[in-house]
Amino acid sequence: MKIGITCYPTYGGSGVVATELGKALAEKGHSVHFISYAMPMRLNGFMDNISFHEVEISNYPLFDFPLYTIALASKMVEVARYEKLELLHCHYAIPHATSAYLAKQMLSDHPIKVITTLHGTDITLVGLEPSFLPAMKFSIEQSDGVTAVSRFLKEKTLTNYGINKEIEVIPNFVDTSKYRRIDAQDVLKYCAPHGEKVLIHTSNFRQVKRVQDVIRIFVEVKKKVNCRLLLVGDGPERSSCELLAREVGVQDSVKFLGKQNEIVPLLSAADLFLMPSQSESFGLSALEAMACEVPVISSSVGGLPELQIHGETGYIAEIGDIDRMARYAIDLLTNPSKHRLFAQAACKRAMEFEMTKIVRLYEQYYERVLTGERIASS
Ligand code: GMT
């Protein structure tokens, strides 16, 4: 198949899923064309069957705001015609699904299908803003196929937008040949040199991730367990988190590592992953941690209960219930045999989201959309 993929090229989960999917499809012999304003973060180095097409954005002085939606649509048209694309797969609805709709209208001489994958805040947060809602609803309804990364997100889309449309649930995935526990002595020497337990959190430090809760949970755990906290990633909340760590006196036990390309050695050094999010449509970073045998303590929101098995792969608590999350963490960190069982169960559960299996689901879905087969409700 000849596939155009549009995504945000940044560190977010939707970009990661889109890029890993594109790479896996290219390895299977499909011709994959990424269309975005920058090279997707995980698209490093040359790969057979993959091309990147950069969207140029005009900075003409009359335009106070960049007209990305239009520029993207024009680039989609150009690539589709020149590369004979059969479908455009948009990850994160805003504004990609709208650009793809526009492109499809302009491509009246070149039949093309549009698939939109909904990832999270495109539906639960940003898309609900009055300035986006009608365009979102329209663009989703006009897509030839729509997928969501969890049952939760599918339900939210149907109810929040009053959309009458079949939505296929295709969950996030992990490449378990890369995401597996490895020797992490180098990391441990640096972050836990005296055998301290290691808690970890990775995110883009947006408010929705509640990274302050991570620090507050850590404060409680530290009262009972000799431990360290690794915070990986960067974003708008980072400064206030650094301030909080100093205010509550744990600055020497918390390492802010910023954005990291190599996450497996860090996860392999960890004993627990914390994800106390306000909203989480799936929780890709929790899945990656589980694949590295790290049990997860999370909030009960969104799609997290579809991934995590409470009392087996980790524990789930109400949003903001710092005391309970801390108690769960202490329980696991002070009970080695229980921790081992949870770590194994987490890894086993992650295997259910193995990349090859989920990529096949996308391929089958593409085939159904391309042949115009009625898309059944999942
Ligand atoms: O919706 C977002 O916040 C953006 C998106 C991203 O690009 O980072 O994250 C979402 O997509 C991931 C991949 O499908 C999911 O694993 C995340 O749970 C989801 N984030 C939220 O729902 C907050």
Side-chain angles (χ1 to χ4, degrees):
M1 278 179 256
K2 293 180 191 298
I3 306 153
I5 294 184
T6 286
C7 63
Y8 282 104
T10 47
Y11 272 77
S14 60
V16 169
V17 169
T19 314
E20 296 298 343
L21 173 63
K23 282 159 58 176
L25 290 166
E27 267 186 22
K28 295 183 89 174
H30 299 291
S31 171
V32 177
H33 296 266
F34 284 93
I35 308 170
S36 188
Y37 60 84
M39 175 93 97
M41 183 263 300
R42 290 220 187 165
L43 200 63
N44 33 18
F46 168 81
M47 254 192 88
D48 221 4
N49 293 332
I50 290 192
S51 317
F52 167 62
H53 307 265
E54 186 171 326
V55 180
E56 302 103 42
I57 307 161
S58 165
N59 57 3
Y60 187 64
L62 190 64
F63 304 151
D64 277 343
F65 305 100
L67 300 178
Y68 183 61
T69 309
I70 296 175
L72 174 60
S74 298
K75 183 57 88 178
M76 284 170 163
V77 168
E78 178 193 315
V79 178
R81 278 216 180 98
Y82 188 64
E83 301 291 348
K84 303 189 172 40
L85 297 186
E86 294 159 89
L87 67 87
L88 284 169
H89 188 176
C90 300
H91 290 262
Y92 204 88
I94 306 172
H96 306 146
T98 311
S99 300
Y101 169 77
L102 254 181
K104 187 172 167 156
Q105 299 312 303
M106 289 186 265
L107 285 164
S108 52
D109 54 331
H110 174 108
I112 192 158
K113 301 283 186 187
V114 172
I115 294 178
T116 300
T117 289
L118 311 170
H119 280 274
T121 51
D122 46 352
I123 291 302
T124 55
L125 214 64
V126 197
L128 291 172
E129 290 177 19
S131 50
F132 292 125
L133 199 141
M136 266 313 90
K137 180 170 157 54
F138 178 79
S139 310
I140 292 168
E141 281 175 340
Q142 293 298 319
S143 297
D144 298 293
V146 181
T147 80
V149 298
S150 59
R151 292 192 299 277
F152 157 81
L153 194 60
K154 170 182 170 170
E155 290 313 318
K156 272 277 165 239
T157 310
L158 296 176
T159 51
N160 284 357
Y161 295 81
I163 283 177
N164 182 18
K165 177 116 193 145
E166 306 293 0
I167 297 179
E168 183 88 356
V169 175
I170 304 184
N172 285 176
F173 57 85
V174 63
D175 181 352
T176 54
S177 69
K178 292 193 185 121
Y179 281 80
R180 57 189 176 81
R181 203 164 181 89
I182 57 168
D183 180 73
Q185 282 313 313
D186 287 352
V187 178
L188 287 168
K189 253 188 262 161
Y190 161 72
C191 71
H194 307 295
E196 297 93 335
K197 298 288 182 195
V198 176
L199 291 83
I200 192 167
H201 168 83
T202 71
S203 77
N204 43 17
F205 281 63
R206 284 173 303 159
Q207 240 176 14
V208 75
K209 299 290 176 181
R210 294 182 73 105
V211 189
Q212 285 85 352
D213 282 12
V214 172
I215 294 170
R216 293 189 194 283
I217 294 165
F218 177 70
V219 169
E220 294 309 309
V221 176
K222 203 174 174 313
K223 288 177 186 165
K224 303 276 185 206
V225 181
N226 188 14
C227 56
R228 294 283 177 92
L229 174 64
L230 296 184
L231 290 171
V232 185
D234 213 329
E237 295 294 304
R238 170 151 174 199
S239 296
S240 68
C241 287
E242 294 211 32
L243 192 66
L244 176 65
R246 287 196 287 274
E247 273 170 11
V248 295
V250 293
Q251 70 276 18
D252 294 335
S253 310
V254 180
K255 288 208 183 296
F256 286 84
L257 299 177
K259 289 177 183 170
Q260 296 283 327
N261 285 330
E262 287 296 320
I263 192 76
V264 172
L266 300 171
L267 290 172
S268 298
D271 299 289
L272 264 190
F273 187 90
L274 299 178
M275 183 174 253
S277 306
Q278 180 86 35
S279 163
E280 201 67 62
S281 67
F282 183 88
L284 178 61
S285 47
L287 172 61
E288 291 177 342
M290 288 161 71
C292 294
E293 299 175 35
V294 188
V296 175
I297 310 272
S298 77
S299 57
S300 54
V301 298
L304 284 170
E306 294 174 44
L307 168 66
Q308 271 251 72
I309 306 172
H310 179 70
E312 263 183 51
T313 64
Y315 288 112
I316 296 175
E318 290 295 308
I319 305 172
D321 195 342
I322 289 162
D323 288 342
R324 186 177 289 267
M325 291 191 208
R327 277 204 303 279
Y328 284 144
I330 293 164
D331 175 50
L332 277 180
L333 294 174
T334 54
N335 194 335
S337 50
K338 192 174 190 178
H339 183 274
R340 205 169 315 115
L341 284 177
F342 274 58
Q344 285 163 356
C347 183
K348 191 164 166 240
R349 177 78 177 138
M351 293 289 184
E352 293 175 36
F353 300 90
E354 218 303 297
M355 183 172 76
T356 43
K357 181 174 143 189
I358 307 298
V359 168
R360 185 72 199 119
L361 294 182
Y362 275 113
E363 254 183 322
Q364 287 167 346
Y365 189 69
Y366 288 175
E367 282 157 13
R368 279 161 53 201
V369 170
L370 283 173
T371 54
E373 192 182 304
R374 194 176 169 279
I375 305 296
S377 187
S378 51

